[in-house]
Every structure is written in structure tokens, then in C-alpha cells.
Amino acid sequence: MCGIIAYAGKDNAVPYLVNGIRDLEYRGYDSAGCALDNGDQLVIRKDVGSVNSVIRKYGVEQLNAKRGVFHTRWATHGGISVQNAHPISDCSGDIAVVHNGIIENYDSIKESLNTHKFSTETDTEVIPHMVEEKMRLGKSFREAVKETALKLEGASSFVVLNRNEKDMIAVKKGSPLVIGLGENGTFISSDVQSLLRYTNKVVYLHDNDLVTFNDGGYTVENLVNPNLTHKVDTVDLDYHSAEKGKFEHYMIKEIYEQIDLVNSFLERDKKDIEYASSLIKKANRVYLVGSGTSYHASLYGAQLFRSLGIDALALQGQELKNYGRIIKDNDIFIIISQSGETSDVIANIDYMKDHKKIGIINVEGSYLSRSVDALIPLKAGVEKAVAATKTFTSTLVLLRLLAAYLSDDAEPIINDLKLLKLNIYNLTVPSVLEAIERVSDRLKDDKSIIYTGTEDGFILSLEGALKMKEVSYIHAEAFDSSSIKHGPIALIENGIDVIAVTTKNSKESLAYGLEEMKARGAHIIGISEENNPKLFDEFIKSVPAKSFEFYPLLMVLQMLAYRTAVKRGINPDKPRNLAKSVTVK
Ligand code: F6R
């Protein structure tokens, strides 16, 4: 979703802002813009389309600025247009604001500012006008921003640059913001990854923090709780590990990185998993909560835990409210999230407030990672492609390990992990890659693709279909093959492509559904360890991997979506309308 990078310091701000905003592009956006203060004037440049087109169109790289801010917008209020792109100004044009989030009471605020001339359709525009109004009434810049911030309802993090004031001000409410401590200046960003080129010293902000920063440093104050402390953290991530390197896209780089990640599971200290399992053992029911791909991981975890006799249920964040009256004192929550910033989960965190919470999260320092009692960090490295790949497989592995600790016998599972390490060569075997090429050649012209499986194979089908629709824009739907006859079979017509995700567990039961579909003309593409020539019209071999069988299967499904997208001329790293971290409701 929207991205913010701001800088005030002794160096020219422009290169920092340009590089920083490029590092934020992966989050997804539809327009971009910057406000640069060169000492004489406040220069605002913005447009719809890519960051690079704004940079090139206005020759931004040739400019100099003492301080400034760059923003990428993912439209919520108001269409995608130049006017609605940020930064957004007050009537005088002296104040520029960039904002992430949604101001829920902007209508009533706007009414109260009826002497001001509004020139956008955004909720954001109330911020510069309210600051302007309060300053007209004699408040200092800081007081005006503070009072404005306290008035806003909803998730609303923003940065204000006032050309007449030495300080820039940032406020965090809901949407993420972090301070970066550069050698010669202070950064504010919505995502730590845009700071890593320059610093790994950061201060994670709390809600209602107000940061004042200029070329001499920064101060932070919490507007609601003055006792909150703000320590400097060191981020344990290397900027270069997040570069594309020899790969054409981040998505393919991240798919291949999964092969090496197996080492990190073997080598990691498992104390966090052990501790989390001790909490689960004392609990009544386990709720696994996540959205999108992370919800699929929750489904997988819940099924695994139930197989151990543990009462477990997977939920999407927004479903929690329906369970409010059922949740018991001794229930426990496992929050699954790559970004740790997903608003559907955060907005419902109150339902979990009196309960122990375990987090399986990739971005350390993110809001959710700081809200849990026990964190199992994925340590999958930066994931830049919008579609989650390596973070999903990593989550499933950690859930598997957690299940092993819950059953008090982790050793066989760790031995299986060692076998997996020896055995995942799927995507390095020419015949597998050739099969993926052949199948993606066929899929690329499809209007609709059906994914099917049963048991764990059904959960993998859900994920395979989600990956396909996200990056290739082909309608893809997953059905449990036993439920096909209860309705979806009406979709089966001659030649329709059906991807059958076959796990060892589900081989037998899947066959019935497949026979019924084949009898009605479906073209069955089997992904499994063994070919079944009677049923499969095409076959992609997925190398066996005992308890971690999902790993090679998923790599094939991800690769199939990736190759189909590329063949359709789509950049799979930045699918339309999607964002890497969904921070608005
Ligand atoms: C799919 C995808 C999304 C996310 C979802 C939750 O490839 O990336 O469906 O899984 O938006 O995001 P996190 O895991 O960051 O909470």
C-alpha cells in the first residue's frame, strides 16, 4: 500500500528520497509524488503511474533539496489522478502532506473547514488545511499538527513539511512508520526496507507518536502516553540480500531462495518454537489468524494441530468478531503474517487482548511482531514480490516444527527436514522445468483454471489458485475434489484445465473427483510424486519429501503461476491493484 520516505539532514535529500521510494515500490501503488524544499521554494511534483515516470518527467534526480518527502499512493478515497496523488497542500501552498491510511471522520472535519478551498477528492486533504487553520488561529506549527493528529480517527500516519518552519513533523497512527538514523540526517519511512541502503539503526514508532525532525536530529513524543520509551534498534537485514541479482524478477528469485532456506530451518535455534509449544500445551483452543496466503497457512496449521488432537481453528482477521462470545479465557492465538502490518488482523487485535499470542511473522519490528507474547520469526529474508512465496513455505515448515514440539517428538521431523534438504531439486531438474514450460504455454490462454485436491492437497490448491489469479489475472478457483459434485462440476466442459494437486495423503480420494471431471472432458494436469497416466493428461513431477511434501509441490505451483504471468506479458512482481502489505481496512 502507500509508501512514505522523508529525509532532513545535512546532505542533498534527493538521492535518498529517490532511492528510498524505489525501494518502496514493491509495496504496490498507482501514483507517486514528492515535495522538495530547496531553501527558496517548496517544489511539489506528482503524477499517476510509476515512480520512474515522475522522476523522469520532472527531472527530479537533477534537483537539490535540503529536505523533502516522497510518497507512493494506493487509492482509497478519490480516484487515481494527478490531483489526488500526494503530497497534498493547504490553501497557501506552503504546507505539503503525505499520508498513509484512511481518515474515517474526514467528512465532518472537512465541513468544519468550509472557508478553505479543497482541490482533491482525498481524505488526506483535511490534514494540511486543518494545520493551516490552527496556525491562522495562532497555534505554533507543532501545536497545530498535534491537535490535528488528535482529531483524526482511523489509521492515519502522515508527514508534514511546512516551508516556513525548520522542523518537519511525522505522526504515526495505525499505519507503520519508523525513524531511520542516517550518518548525516534523519529518515522517516513506512517500511524499514527503504532505509537499509543507508542505515540499520531505527526507532520503531508507537501509535500516536509525534516526531519532530530537522538537519540537527529528531525528538519523539507520544501524544497519549508520555511514559512510552523509544529505543534505537538494529535491523538484522542486509540491503543487498534484497536485490534481484541475476534474476529477471523478485518473484522467481524468491521461489528459488526456498531451496537454501531449508538450511536455515535446520540451523536455527528452536527455543522460540519450544516456548510457543509450551504455551499451546497449556491452552484450551488454538485460533490461527491470518489473511490471504497467511490464512491458507492458518488452515494448514489448524488441520495439522487437529490431527494431533488439539482443538484448533483457522480464521481470517475480520472473522474474529463473530467469535467474540465463543473465545474462552484459556484460548490462545497464533497470528500469521508476512508483513506483520495487515489491518484486518490489527483491527481485531482487541479480541485477542487478554490472551496469549504467538506470532509467526517475517518482518521483525512490525506492529504485530511487537504485539505478541512469543515470536517465531520466519527469518525468510526480505520478500519483495507482492505474491508471497518463500514466506508461505517457511510458515508451513515452522508450523510443522511447532507440531513436532507439541507431540514431544521433534526428532523424526527434523530428520525429515534433513531429507528435504537433500531432495528439493524440483526446479533444478530440466524435465520438471520443461513440463512447467509446456503447461504454462497452455494455461496462458485460459479464461479460467480449476485447482483441486483433498485434505492438505486442497489447502495447497487454494494457494496455487491464489498465486495464479494474483500474478496472471486468470480466473482460478480451488475446490475440494470431493465437493466438486455438489455444484462446481457444472463448470466442467470440454478442454477446461484442471490442476490436480496430489499429496500422498489424498491420492485415493482425489482420484474419484478427477475421474468425474475427466469423464466430462476436463484436461487434467497432475502435480504429484508419481504419474497416473490413466487420469493425468499432463504431469509435473514433484519430488517426494516425506512430511515436507508441500514444499516441492508449492514450488511447482508458484513457478507455474510465475511462468504463466511472464508469458502473458505481466510483471509478476507488481500485479495490478495489489499491495505487499495491506494496511487499510
Ligand atoms: C498473496 C498475498 C496476500 C497476503 C495477505 C496477508 O500472495 O501476499 O494474500 O498473504 O495480504 O498479508 P500478510 O501475510 O503480510 O499478513
Side-chain angles (χ1 to χ4, degrees):
M1 306 235 119
C2 304
I4 293 177
I5 175 85
Y7 175 83
K10 303 205 186 322
D11 301 331
N12 177 12
V14 172
Y16 292 132
L17 299 178
V18 164
N19 288 330
I21 205 70
R22 284 185 173 138
D23 288 337
L24 287 177
E25 279 191 90
Y26 79 100
R27 296 173 71 89
Y29 65 99
D30 39 56
S31 49
C34 57
L36 303 170
D37 180 6
N38 62 18
D40 295 329
Q41 52 171 334
L42 183 61
V43 177
I44 295 184
R45 298 287 180 259
K46 54 187 189 173
D47 209 344
V48 295
S50 73
V51 160
N52 269 344
S53 68
V54 174
I55 292 172
R56 266 193 246 110
K57 180 169 174 182
Y58 298 109
V60 173
E61 277 168 309
Q62 281 72 58
L63 302 176
N64 263 285
K66 295 163 20 157
R67 55 189 188 153
V69 58
F70 221 130
H71 183 264
T72 45
R73 172 173 188 251
W74 190 87
T76 54
H77 283 66
I80 302 166
S81 67
V82 183
Q83 282 92 333
N84 293 342
H86 300 201
I88 290 176
S89 296
D90 63 337
C91 299
S92 70
D94 288 343
I95 295 177
V97 169
V98 298
H99 161 232
N100 288 0
I102 293 177
I103 302 170
E104 286 167 8
N105 56 339
Y106 87 101
D107 267 340
S108 61
I109 298 178
K110 192 170 172 180
E111 266 170 42
S112 72
L113 295 166
N114 54 14
T115 57
H116 289 247
K117 186 173 174 315
F118 278 73
S119 47
T120 77
E121 302 156 337
T122 65
D123 51 341
T124 302
E125 196 173 351
V126 297
I127 302 176
H129 289 290
M130 206 180 346
V131 173
E132 179 181 39
E133 178 69 16
K134 288 181 186 296
M135 289 185 76
R136 266 188 206 158
L137 296 173
K139 303 277 176 183
S140 69
F141 176 45
R142 195 171 188 289
E143 270 305 303
V145 175
K146 178 174 169 175
E147 286 181 12
T148 301
L150 289 171
K151 192 97 190 167
L152 303 178
E153 287 169 17
S156 287
S157 295
F158 62 92
V159 176
V160 198
L161 198 171
N162 180 338
R163 65 173 293 240
N164 305 313
E165 300 285 333
K166 182 167 185 278
D167 293 331
M168 284 175 76
I169 299 182
V171 173
K172 176 185 178 321
K173 275 185 109 162
S175 303
L177 271 192
V178 59
I179 304 175
L181 310 184
E183 236 169 72
N184 289 321
T186 303
F187 295 88
I188 296 285
S189 177
S190 51
D191 183 335
V192 103
Q193 280 153 44
S194 70
L195 303 174
L196 294 177
R197 279 183 206 241
Y198 303 114
T199 181
N200 61 355
K201 297 265 176 283
V202 301
V203 178
Y204 292 111
L205 294 174
H206 307 285
D207 278 342
N208 296 304
D209 276 348
L210 181 145
V211 186
T212 307
F213 61 111
N214 57 38
D215 57 6
Y218 71 93
T219 57
V220 199
E221 175 202 7
N222 192 278
L223 301 179
V224 175
N225 179 357
N227 298 325
L228 278 180
T229 52
H230 299 89
K231 69 175 176 38
V232 177
D233 272 304
T234 304
V235 185
D236 178 22
L237 273 176
D238 168 29
Y239 174 73
H240 297 288
S241 70
E243 284 178 314
K244 243 185 338 214
K246 62 178 194 277
F247 293 97
E248 196 185 342
H249 298 106
Y250 285 108
M251 184 173 174
I252 181 75
K253 170 185 178 248
E254 288 155 10
I255 290 173
Y256 274 105
E257 273 173 358
Q258 295 171 113
I259 298 177
D260 292 333
L261 273 173
V262 179
N263 271 332
S264 71
F265 299 122
L266 281 167
E267 284 157 14
R268 75 182 276 150
D269 182 345
K270 314 228 174 17
K271 282 207 183 71
D272 48 4
I273 303 178
E274 232 170 299
Y275 176 57
S277 76
S278 71
L279 295 179
I280 296 174
K281 280 180 190 162
K282 285 185 243 151
N284 175 39
R285 168 179 275 183
V286 186
Y287 287 96
L288 295 100
V289 185
S291 303
T293 288
S294 294
Y295 173 62
H296 296 158
S298 303
L299 288 171
Y300 180 84
Q303 196 180 69
L304 194 60
F305 290 179
R306 286 195 297 265
S307 73
L308 298 174
I310 297 169
D311 181 356
L313 198 63
L315 293 181
Q316 305 182 68
Q318 71 276 15
E319 290 178 300
L320 272 166
K321 53 184 167 303
N322 304 330
Y323 288 77
R325 297 181 63 183
I326 295 177
I327 297 168
K328 303 253 175 9
D329 287 352
N330 203 22
D331 290 347
I332 194 167
F333 288 87
I334 300 182
I335 297 176
I336 298 181
S337 175
Q338 177 282 130
S339 63
E341 302 289 356
T342 297
S343 68
D344 286 344
V345 179
I346 293 176
N348 291 290
I349 203 147
D350 263 4
Y351 291 100
M352 315 181 208
K353 77 171 185 292
D354 300 324
H355 300 263
K356 286 271 183 275
K357 292 181 280 302
I358 296 165
I360 304 186
I361 292 166
N362 198 37
V363 180
E364 287 174 62
S366 57
Y367 180 88
L368 288 170
S369 77
R370 288 180 285 141
S371 314
V372 296
D373 304 281
L375 177 66
I376 306 180
L378 290 184
K379 300 222 171 278
V382 177
E383 187 175 69
K384 282 215 156 176
V386 162
T389 53
K390 61 176 179 172
T391 53
F392 182 61
T393 43
S394 301
T395 306
L396 298 200
V397 173
L398 292 176
L399 285 165
R400 198 101 203 48
L401 288 171
L402 191 54
Y405 279 89
L406 282 168
S407 66
D408 283 328
D409 194 8
E411 211 181 307
I413 292 290
I414 299 204
N415 288 337
D416 281 358
L417 198 52
K418 289 182 189 151
L419 278 180
L420 172 67
K421 186 186 161 192
L422 298 175
N423 278 331
I424 27 166
Y425 45 82
N426 262 48
L427 298 185
T428 58
V429 172
S431 60
V432 175
L433 287 170
E434 275 158 32
I436 290 173
E437 283 312 292
R438 207 175 43 246
V439 171
S440 55
D441 264 343
R442 181 182 166 93
L443 298 181
K444 73 177 194 307
D445 300 316
D446 278 351
K447 289 262 170 308
S448 187
I449 305 170
I450 289 180
Y451 284 69
T452 193
T454 61
E455 310 285 333
D456 44 356
F458 171 55
I459 297 170
L460 304 183
S461 303
L462 287 169
E463 178 58 12
L466 181 64
K467 282 301 85 105
M468 183 59 84
K469 62 186 138 200
E470 274 183 295
V471 299
S472 77
Y473 313 155
I474 297 173
H475 173 246
E477 208 63 60
F479 302 107
D480 188 313
S481 62
S482 1
S483 73
I484 284 265
K485 54 188 173 297
H486 298 293
I489 200 157
L491 296 171
I492 304 298
E493 57 188 9
N494 215 17
I496 190 164
D497 285 324
V498 172
I499 296 185
V501 183
T502 320
T503 60
K504 286 183 208 123
N505 213 355
S506 63
K507 217 161 38 187
E508 309 283 298
S509 44
L510 176 64
Y512 295 116
L514 290 185
E515 271 167 21
E516 287 156 359
M517 287 186 264
K518 195 168 169 77
R520 287 160 181 84
H523 179 89
I524 313 273
I525 299 153
I527 306 180
S528 74
E529 181 188 338
E530 278 167 38
N531 196 356
N532 182 344
K534 268 205 208 134
L535 275 177
F536 299 160
D537 297 289
E538 295 191 65
F539 169 60
I540 309 178
K541 186 170 174 61
S542 150
V543 175
K546 279 202 150 182
S547 342
F548 296 96
E549 172 181 34
F550 57 80
Y551 212 104
L553 274 167
L554 279 168
M555 286 171 70
V556 169
L557 289 167
Q558 295 163 349
M559 189 69 167
L560 210 48
Y562 171 76
R563 290 301 300 152
T564 307
V566 170
K567 286 176 182 169
R568 285 167 66 86
I570 294 166
N571 176 355
D573 287 344
K574 292 179 199 153
R576 68 183 177 205
N577 307 336
L578 297 183
K580 183 69 187 160
S581 127
V582 184
T583 51
V584 294
K585 277 195 241 171

